[in-house]
Amino acid sequence: MVEINLVGLGLGVTLTLLAVALHYARGTGWTPTADISQEVLERRASAVPETDFPEPMNRSIGGGGAAPAAVPAGEGEEGELEDGESAEETSPADIPDDEVEYFEVEFTKQGATIEVPNNEPLLDSGEDEGFDLPYACRQGQCVSCAGQITSGGNSEDYVVHDNQQMLDDGELGEGYTLTCVAYPRADFTIETGEAP
């Protein structure tokens, strides 16, 4: 025959009733504050011009775009100067094949030195060699492809940046570069995957 322990049964019922009572208790009446994160993001995004390309993992919230200081003085929306002449945009990628120079670039993490033409970005040349290099926007508007030139000095002593918008003068002075828009102008050593 089964013997029932009345003290244990009473204790179990009491604890169960206590748990149910606590579950249905009103609590302190605290209410969380409203979530304003979406409102803040929309306000910041409205201050930055939109672009026509997707920008995953972009540090500039709202789609990026050029800073107001990046537009040459007197240039209109269509790229025309005030006197009607067109502004001529030159890019290292536009260097004719008969004027291309090659530079020795050592990729330390990949353990290889390759010749990179001055009309091709470091990222593209590295990928052509089979290196798995980090990147996201490929437009110089994020820091996913950042690397650090370890040859000493300012990175602009070794590369020409074609429209990079994320690194400031201090970061450039420490040798940081964006490999997707960096074209070599000298021999150097770089550590990829190093962001400021």
Side-chain angles (χ1 to χ4, degrees):
M1 194 159 166
V2 175
E3 199 173 308
I4 298 176
N5 185 346
L6 293 179
V7 173
L9 180 63
L11 185 60
V13 168
T14 304
L15 288 175
T16 303
L17 290 175
L18 181 63
V20 168
L22 288 174
H23 175 74
Y24 288 105
R26 265 193 90 131
T28 63
W30 174 83
T31 56
T33 58
D35 181 15
I36 63 167
S37 60
Q38 189 62 36
E39 179 184 334
V40 170
L41 288 174
E42 288 172 4
R43 187 178 309 144
R44 291 181 69 188
S46 68
V48 180
E50 292 294 325
T51 58
D52 294 333
F53 55 88
E55 301 174 39
M57 301 177 65
N58 192 343
R59 274 188 8 188
S60 61
I61 295 181
V71 179
E75 187 175 322
E77 287 186 26
E78 300 297 320
E80 292 184 9
L81 297 175
E82 289 177 359
D83 59 1
E85 294 179 18
S86 293
E88 189 174 317
E89 292 185 25
T90 59
S91 166
D94 298 332
I95 296 174
D97 289 338
D98 59 341
E99 296 177 19
V100 170
E101 296 179 54
Y102 290 85
F103 298 98
E104 298 287 324
V105 178
E106 179 184 356
F107 289 78
T108 56
K109 288 186 180 177
Q110 289 72 24
T113 300
I114 63 172
E115 281 192 344
V116 180
N118 64 343
N119 67 345
E120 186 173 322
L122 298 174
L123 177 62
D124 293 352
S125 294
E127 287 179 333
D128 290 347
E129 290 294 318
F131 301 156
D132 185 23
L133 301 175
Y135 69 90
C137 75
R138 295 182 98 88
Q139 301 291 324
Q141 296 186 0
C142 73
V143 293
S144 299
C145 69
Q148 186 174 25
I149 296 175
T150 57
S151 298
N154 190 312
S155 64
E156 294 193 326
D157 294 338
Y158 301 99
V159 296
V160 174
H161 287 104
D162 185 22
N163 196 28
Q164 78 83 17
Q165 299 178 20
M166 298 307 297
L167 301 176
D168 61 30
D169 290 339
E171 293 165 338
L172 293 171
E174 293 173 14
Y176 289 103
T177 185
L178 301 180
T179 60
C180 70
V181 292
Y183 296 79
R185 63 164 45 163
D187 297 342
F188 60 90
T189 301
I190 186 169
E191 278 197 43
T192 55
E194 297 294 320

